[in-house]
Amino acid sequence: MRKAPSLPGKAMALALALFPLIFFMVVESSLSSFDKSSHSTFDRINQLPGQPQVSYQQFSGYVTVDEKKQRALFYYFVEAEIDPASKPLVLWLNGGPGCSSLGVGAFSENGPFRPSGKMLVRNEHSWNREANMLYLETPIGVGFSYSSDSSSYVTVNDKITGTDNLVFLHNWFAKFPQYRNRSLFISGESYAGHYVPQLAEIMLQFNKKQKLFNLKGIALGNPVLEFATDFNSRAEFFWSHGLISDSTYKSFTSTCNYSRYVSEYNRGTVSPTCSRVVSLVNRETSRFVDKYDVTLDVCIPSVLSQSKVLSPKQVTETVDVCVEDETVSYLNRRDVQNALHARLVGVNGWLVCSNILDYEMLDLEVPTISIVGKLVKAGVPVLVYSGDQDSVIPLIGSRRLVHGLAEELGLKTTVPYRVWFAGMQVGGWTQVYGDILSFATIRGASHEVPFSQPARSLVLFKAFLEGRPLPEAF
Amino acid sequence: MRKAPSLPGKAMALALALFPLIFFMVVESSLSSFDKSSHSTFDRINQLPGQPQVSYQQFSGYVTVDEKKQRALFYYFVEAEIDPASKPLVLWLNGGPGCSSLGVGAFSENGPFRPSGKMLVRNEHSWNREANMLYLETPIGVGFSYSSDSSSYVTVNDKITGTDNLVFLHNWFAKFPQYRNRSLFISGESYAGHYVPQLAEIMLQFNKKQKLFNLKGIALGNPVLEFATDFNSRAEFFWSHGLISDSTYKSFTSTCNYSRYVSEYNRGTVSPTCSRVVSLVNRETSRFVDKYDVTLDVCIPSVLSQSKVLSPKQVTETVDVCVEDETVSYLNRRDVQNALHARLVGVNGWLVCSNILDYEMLDLEVPTISIVGKLVKAGVPVLVYSGDQDSVIPLIGSRRLVHGLAEELGLKTTVPYRVWFAGMQVGGWTQVYGDILSFATIRGASHEVPFSQPARSLVLFKAFLEGRPLPEAF
């Protein structure tokens, strides 16, 4: 998730048909209509405007997931810096629902470059040091992904997203056949706590019919896994980090808690009780505090919605808190869009989070921690990690959910709760259960971990890919 | 407090005689023995080695508080940068008990310079921009303060410290008569949550006899005010910030809590139960995490006790986490000691925290929040502030204590819990009761607030001196 709830409440989809049946029908039809003339060479990026010279290849473009409605998903693919043939393939998904993996994941978090004015500056801790990184703008309606039929944006839900993502990957392999049998990891953050386990689950189902996906593990950053636990941790996080008073904390845990408020909000029935409490919470926490990182500065022009040009650049932190504004400017340049082979269809510009997508917000309340449990039982390694300065999906809830799942599955602790190291400092804390289910915090990190702690995130990522516990010493 | 408990348990002092009687006897005798030939000019500092040019005056030296036992307290006094005659006098006290206001307060926190190699670098946010700053090494046995009779270091307690501090100030006014009627504020942190209210209280008592102290307010940073509330907040802070696991949190709040452990420790009777729990907590939190700021890096040479010279300087943060090591080097130089008019008596070197002082640690358990209440009732403005990254005396406890005191005194909220601003960013949160009792957090700040957030601390300090609420906007 990236934005506070902002969509109107919607009614639950009336009939949820039997999943596997529908699923295979959809996938088969999408696959058969796939235009086999596409090749990765057409998608090759010669050079992004302002980009420093690099030795590895980049690709971007569209993969059609539904020929009839011309539904096409946009991707950005960065091969590994060194010896890509020996490195795994990692799919990265941002959350929202409705936020862009290109603008957030690739250009603000773990991609090779970050926009700065007219230039791209190198990210020394890009995840393509360890893997071939595939960023997908999903679902349809996000960023450069589009449908020619705008009804496709209405009541998009987790099931549609999962199927589209699977079809995307299937068809993407046709463009990049050399990656077909490569070790595959899926990673993502926030609402991707829904997307990633759901996609992994249907991959395993698909594999029963045709072994296509060589899935080696999933990594979930500050993910929504169980609505109430995740959302109600926010009150405790606010309180323990000083953002709300003792009395407001009391109201926020007894009179109305956050999951109740979000539930009411998504159904269009906010009660006066919850409205009062949330107003109080919002007033105390203030819009000048980044809820995704309570210690980081905020981008003042962005908060005030003033012109970026008039305001001085903030350089108080080593992290560029205005990177989102920079990304919006960069990705809306015509020359950049041309270089990316990107089109704007039915929208005026590229946005960080979609304003045309009408997502089924009630899916938020469906727990995915149970799917995570199924994946673990199927032998898929899972890492849940938490940037510890994030109040939106706080570490407290994620840690509790992972610990609870381990107990439920009867997994013993194989690495006790302990610190881990990155660059001669504590990178955070970790615990591993049954050598397959891991939890980790990243110290001093935001909701978007690789954005605020790039070096620590790369250490985390490398250990995850190698299936090793995080470094115990330095 | 600066160090974890490290003194052996000691028996409670047997007889606590009637306080005011003893107090005035001691003070009278000290005052009468005061050597009136001392003058501030002898204490004037020409130039500290490596110091940049400044326009204001500095003084340091000794004030005898007990002629018979040659007990003398060392002070460092920095006049305000601009127009000192118009600025108030502020006494700064560090805690411990047993840590130095010179090395910690002046040279690592809010003084005009910080040591860096052989040089002193200017602190742009020195509190002498707003006040005439007086740093006192107290009690006897701390830093350069000494007694010629080493028995003076045994069973020093809050009462002795308070009396000595008052006698010091009385006699210091004889050296600096121009400050005698100046507005006086007392500030300090940590265990100074004992020293400061206690000193303020006896000042008010003294004033009944002879109006000497023009006390205008006290400010307490991450202070110990009520043992159990302050110390038991640590478990919640650790847990909510990711330093301990759910199961350890449970043990640390049910099997043995921290106040019980410290109590047992100070009585030399640590139970196997508490020993087990605290071992687990220590293992999980790790010595590589700075408990005084859980997000800041640690000074690795210092943690590993390696030679500073061999290890690379850490420049990952804008804050020099090795400033303590730098200060120890600097203050142990003979030329620096000469420039400061400092002597080493009965010790081999200057230390950040005394190893000869044998403080009555059971005083820790005596609440001083009630004294704070008395001061407020007597019309003395009080500010309690909290660096929000400190797990040692966490904001959670301080906030609860201040709120509780306000309720007890029947003080209404005059500034609701809200953010305050410094440099176009949220500096923290604040609440004011009855226009006299204030609470504030400092965002991203350590136990030693002006060390880790110098700019924010200066905004806080200025508002405190002016008796205004913290900035509501920018």
Side-chain angles (χ1 to χ4, degrees):
Chain A
M1 186 156 344
R2 200 168 153 77
K3 300 283 175 202
S6 59
L7 296 173
K10 270 168 288 137
M12 178 93 75
L14 285 179
L16 294 172
L18 264 176
F19 176 69
L21 182 67
I22 293 285
F23 166 65
F24 280 110
M25 284 166 61
V26 171
V27 172
E28 295 288 330
S29 105
S30 308
L31 300 183
S32 60
S33 67
F34 174 60
D35 176 5
K36 297 221 185 323
S37 70
S38 299
H39 285 299
S40 62
T41 46
F42 297 126
D43 287 355
R44 181 147 178 224
I45 297 170
N46 289 324
Q47 171 116 352
L48 292 170
Q51 174 204 311
Q53 280 298 326
V54 294
S55 57
Y56 48 86
Q57 299 196 92
Q58 305 172 75
F59 302 84
S60 61
Y62 289 94
V63 169
T64 303
V65 292
D66 178 354
E67 198 71 37
K68 218 172 69 189
K69 292 189 173 171
Q70 292 185 38
R71 297 165 66 248
L73 291 176
F74 184 82
Y75 77 92
Y76 170 53
F77 179 54
V78 187
E79 285 198 331
E81 195 175 317
I82 294 163
D83 196 9
S86 74
K87 299 268 183 358
L89 174 66
V90 175
L91 175 67
W92 173 269
L93 300 176
N94 277 96
C99 299
S100 161
S101 305
L102 178 69
V104 186
F107 281 95
S108 309
E109 298 193 73
N110 48 37
F113 314 115
R114 295 188 182 185
S116 177
K118 289 184 186 302
M119 306 302 285
L120 290 180
V121 294
R122 196 189 288 267
N123 169 15
E124 296 300 327
H125 307 284
S126 173
W127 285 13
N128 84 321
R129 287 182 172 257
E130 299 295 335
N132 300 282
M133 295 296 301
L134 176 55
Y135 300 90
L136 172 60
E137 297 211 291
T138 185
I140 292 287
V142 173
F144 293 122
S145 294
Y146 68 88
S147 167
S148 63
D149 175 357
S150 66
S151 73
S152 298
Y153 304 138
V154 179
T155 322
V156 181
N157 58 27
D158 283 3
K159 184 179 292 178
I160 294 169
T161 306
T163 308
D164 281 356
N165 291 346
L166 185 118
V167 173
F168 162 83
L169 211 53
H170 183 282
N171 294 352
W172 186 86
F173 280 141
K175 283 195 181 197
F176 295 85
Q178 69 273 35
Y179 283 99
R180 199 183 283 267
N181 298 309
R182 196 69 59 85
S183 290
L184 171 68
F185 295 87
I186 321 176
S187 57
E189 75 196 10
S190 198
Y191 196 77
H194 278 220
Y195 300 155
V196 175
Q198 287 163 348
L199 176 58
E201 186 183 28
I202 59 178
M203 278 179 176
L204 296 189
Q205 285 176 16
F206 189 96
N207 274 354
K208 285 177 189 164
K209 213 176 147 192
Q210 180 196 342
K211 176 104 182 71
L212 176 65
F213 302 106
N214 188 14
L215 185 64
K216 294 294 190 187
I218 67 169
L220 306 164
N222 294 69
V224 185
L225 293 171
E226 198 281 301
F227 178 62
T229 307
D230 285 322
F231 277 49
N232 293 329
S233 301
R234 195 177 297 202
E236 178 123 36
F237 191 95
F238 280 164
W239 175 78
S240 60
H241 288 66
L243 281 69
I244 57 173
S245 62
D246 289 340
S247 59
T248 299
Y249 177 61
K250 202 176 156 196
S251 302
F252 204 31
T253 45
S254 60
T255 312
C256 171
N257 66 19
Y258 193 60
S259 70
R260 179 179 151 193
Y261 168 72
V262 174
S263 241
E264 289 180 0
Y265 187 94
N266 284 332
R267 285 167 178 79
T269 58
V270 175
S271 62
T273 309
C274 281
S275 181
R276 261 196 309 275
V277 172
V278 171
S279 291
L280 183 64
V281 170
N282 286 343
R283 195 162 63 238
E284 288 187 1
T285 57
S286 155
R287 70 187 174 121
F288 290 96
V289 170
D290 183 353
K291 303 306 177 299
Y292 298 92
D293 190 327
V294 300
T295 50
L296 207 60
D297 281 352
V298 290
C299 180
I300 291 296
S302 173
V303 174
L304 296 181
S305 301
Q306 289 172 344
S307 161
K308 283 181 299 295
V309 184
L310 291 174
S311 300
K313 193 169 164 69
Q314 294 175 292
V315 287
T316 51
E317 307 253 355
T318 51
V319 169
D320 178 7
V321 294
C322 293
V323 72
E324 187 172 302
D325 289 7
E326 302 269 7
T327 302
V328 172
S329 296
Y330 187 78
L331 292 179
N332 278 300
R333 283 166 57 177
R334 186 62 60 91
D335 59 341
V336 171
Q337 292 172 359
N338 288 341
L340 283 169
H341 323 112
R343 291 192 293 278
L344 288 172
V345 179
V347 290
N348 294 325
W350 180 93
L351 291 175
V352 174
C353 297
S354 175
N355 63 355
I356 53 167
L357 177 69
D358 188 11
Y359 207 88
E360 178 49 84
M361 287 309 296
L362 298 184
D363 277 5
L364 183 68
E365 299 180 25
V366 180
T368 53
I369 185 76
S370 49
I371 305 177
V372 171
K374 281 188 207 170
L375 296 171
V376 169
K377 278 201 275 192
V380 177
V382 173
L383 165 66
V384 174
Y385 64 89
S386 252
D388 65 4
Q389 302 304 310
D390 177 28
S391 72
V392 174
I393 308 293
L395 76 97
I396 310 168
S398 303
R399 184 177 55 195
R400 186 179 288 148
L401 288 170
V402 173
H403 188 75
L405 178 62
E407 283 202 338
E408 198 187 307
L409 297 177
L411 297 175
K412 293 253 158 56
T413 293
T414 42
V415 173
Y417 203 82
R418 63 156 171 81
V419 294
W420 60 273
F421 288 89
M424 293 178 71
Q425 294 291 341
V426 169
W429 280 259
T430 187
Q431 182 159 12
V432 182
Y433 305 91
D435 289 325
I436 190 164
L437 175 62
S438 307
F439 172 76
T441 68
I442 299 84
R443 199 168 64 98
S446 65
H447 188 70
E448 293 157 2
V449 170
F451 156 66
S452 49
Q453 290 291 348
R456 288 175 187 167
S457 90
L458 186 57
V459 172
L460 178 86
F461 184 60
K462 188 169 192 290
F464 163 66
L465 295 180
E466 292 172 352
R468 295 172 200 240
L470 283 153
E472 196 170 356
F474 62 88
Chain B
M1 189 157 342
R2 199 164 154 79
K3 299 284 177 203
S6 60
L7 297 172
K10 271 169 286 134
M12 178 93 77
L14 285 178
L16 294 173
L18 263 177
F19 176 69
L21 182 67
I22 292 286
F23 166 67
F24 281 109
M25 284 166 63
V26 171
V27 172
E28 294 288 331
S29 106
S30 308
L31 301 183
S32 59
S33 68
F34 174 62
D35 177 5
K36 296 217 187 322
S37 69
S38 299
H39 284 299
S40 63
T41 46
F42 298 127
D43 287 353
R44 180 143 180 228
I45 296 170
N46 289 325
Q47 172 117 351
L48 291 170
Q51 174 203 311
Q53 280 298 327
V54 294
S55 57
Y56 47 85
Q57 299 196 90
Q58 305 173 74
F59 302 84
S60 61
Y62 289 94
V63 170
T64 303
V65 292
D66 178 355
E67 197 73 38
K68 217 171 70 189
K69 291 189 173 173
Q70 290 185 39
R71 296 165 65 249
L73 290 175
F74 183 82
Y75 77 93
Y76 170 53
F77 179 54
V78 187
E79 286 198 330
E81 196 175 316
I82 294 163
D83 196 11
S86 75
K87 299 264 181 5
L89 174 66
V90 174
L91 175 68
W92 172 269
L93 301 176
N94 277 96
C99 300
S100 161
S101 304
L102 177 69
V104 185
F107 281 95
S108 310
E109 297 194 70
N110 49 36
F113 315 114
R114 295 187 182 185
S116 178
K118 289 186 186 301
M119 306 301 286
L120 291 180
V121 294
R122 195 189 289 266
N123 169 16
E124 295 300 326
H125 307 285
S126 173
W127 285 13
N128 84 320
R129 285 180 173 259
E130 299 295 335
N132 301 283
M133 295 296 301
L134 177 55
Y135 300 90
L136 173 61
E137 295 211 292
T138 184
I140 291 286
V142 172
F144 293 123
S145 293
Y146 68 87
S147 168
S148 63
D149 176 356
S150 65
S151 72
S152 298
Y153 304 137
V154 179
T155 324
V156 180
N157 57 27
D158 283 3
K159 183 178 292 179
I160 293 169
T161 306
T163 308
D164 280 356
N165 291 346
L166 185 118
V167 173
F168 163 82
L169 211 54
H170 183 282
N171 294 353
W172 186 87
F173 280 141
K175 282 195 182 200
F176 295 86
Q178 68 274 35
Y179 283 99
R180 198 183 285 266
N181 297 309
R182 197 70 59 87
S183 290
L184 171 68
F185 295 86
I186 322 176
S187 57
E189 76 196 9
S190 198
Y191 196 77
H194 277 221
Y195 299 155
V196 175
Q198 287 163 349
L199 175 58
E201 186 183 28
I202 59 178
M203 277 178 175
L204 296 188
Q205 286 177 16
F206 188 97
N207 275 353
K208 285 178 190 164
K209 211 176 152 191
Q210 179 196 341
K211 175 103 181 71
L212 175 66
F213 303 106
N214 188 14
L215 185 65
K216 293 293 190 187
I218 66 169
L220 306 165
N222 294 67
V224 185
L225 292 171
E226 198 280 301
F227 178 63
T229 307
D230 285 321
F231 277 51
N232 294 330
S233 301
R234 195 177 297 202
E236 177 122 37
F237 191 95
F238 280 163
W239 175 78
S240 60
H241 289 66
L243 281 68
I244 57 174
S245 62
D246 289 340
S247 59
T248 299
Y249 177 60
K250 202 176 155 194
S251 302
F252 204 31
T253 45
S254 60
T255 312
C256 171
N257 66 19
Y258 193 61
S259 69
R260 178 178 151 193
Y261 168 72
V262 174
S263 240
E264 289 180 1
Y265 187 96
N266 284 332
R267 286 168 177 79
T269 59
V270 175
S271 61
T273 309
C274 281
S275 181
R276 262 196 309 274
V277 171
V278 171
S279 291
L280 182 64
V281 170
N282 286 343
R283 193 161 65 236
E284 287 187 1
T285 57
S286 155
R287 70 188 174 118
F288 290 96
V289 170
D290 182 353
K291 303 306 177 298
Y292 297 92
D293 190 326
V294 300
T295 51
L296 206 61
D297 282 352
V298 290
C299 180
I300 292 294
S302 172
V303 173
L304 296 181
S305 301
Q306 289 171 344
S307 161
K308 283 181 299 296
V309 184
L310 291 175
S311 300
K313 192 168 165 71
Q314 293 174 293
V315 287
T316 52
E317 307 254 358
T318 51
V319 170
D320 178 6
V321 294
C322 293
V323 71
E324 187 172 304
D325 289 8
E326 302 269 8
T327 302
V328 171
S329 296
Y330 187 78
L331 292 180
N332 278 300
R333 284 166 55 176
R334 186 61 61 90
D335 59 342
V336 171
Q337 292 173 359
N338 288 343
L340 284 169
H341 323 112
R343 290 192 293 279
L344 289 172
V345 178
V347 289
N348 293 325
W350 180 94
L351 290 175
V352 175
C353 297
S354 175
N355 63 355
I356 54 168
L357 177 68
D358 188 10
Y359 208 87
E360 178 49 82
M361 287 310 295
L362 298 184
D363 277 5
L364 183 68
E365 299 179 25
V366 180
T368 53
I369 185 74
S370 49
I371 306 178
V372 171
K374 281 189 207 170
L375 296 170
V376 169
K377 278 202 275 193
V380 178
V382 173
L383 165 66
V384 174
Y385 64 90
S386 252
D388 64 5
Q389 302 304 310
D390 178 28
S391 72
V392 174
I393 308 293
L395 76 97
I396 311 168
S398 303
R399 184 177 54 195
R400 185 178 290 147
L401 288 169
V402 173
H403 188 74
L405 178 62
E407 283 203 338
E408 197 188 308
L409 296 177
L411 296 175
K412 292 251 159 55
T413 293
T414 42
V415 173
Y417 203 82
R418 62 156 172 81
V419 294
W420 59 272
F421 288 89
M424 292 178 72
Q425 294 290 342
V426 169
W429 280 259
T430 187
Q431 181 159 10
V432 181
Y433 305 90
D435 290 325
I436 190 164
L437 175 63
S438 306
F439 172 75
T441 68
I442 298 84
R443 200 168 63 99
S446 64
H447 188 70
E448 292 156 3
V449 171
F451 156 67
S452 50
Q453 290 291 350
R456 289 175 187 168
S457 89
L458 186 58
V459 172
L460 177 88
F461 183 60
K462 189 169 190 292
F464 163 66
L465 295 180
E466 292 171 353
R468 294 173 201 240
L470 283 153
E472 197 170 357
F474 62 86

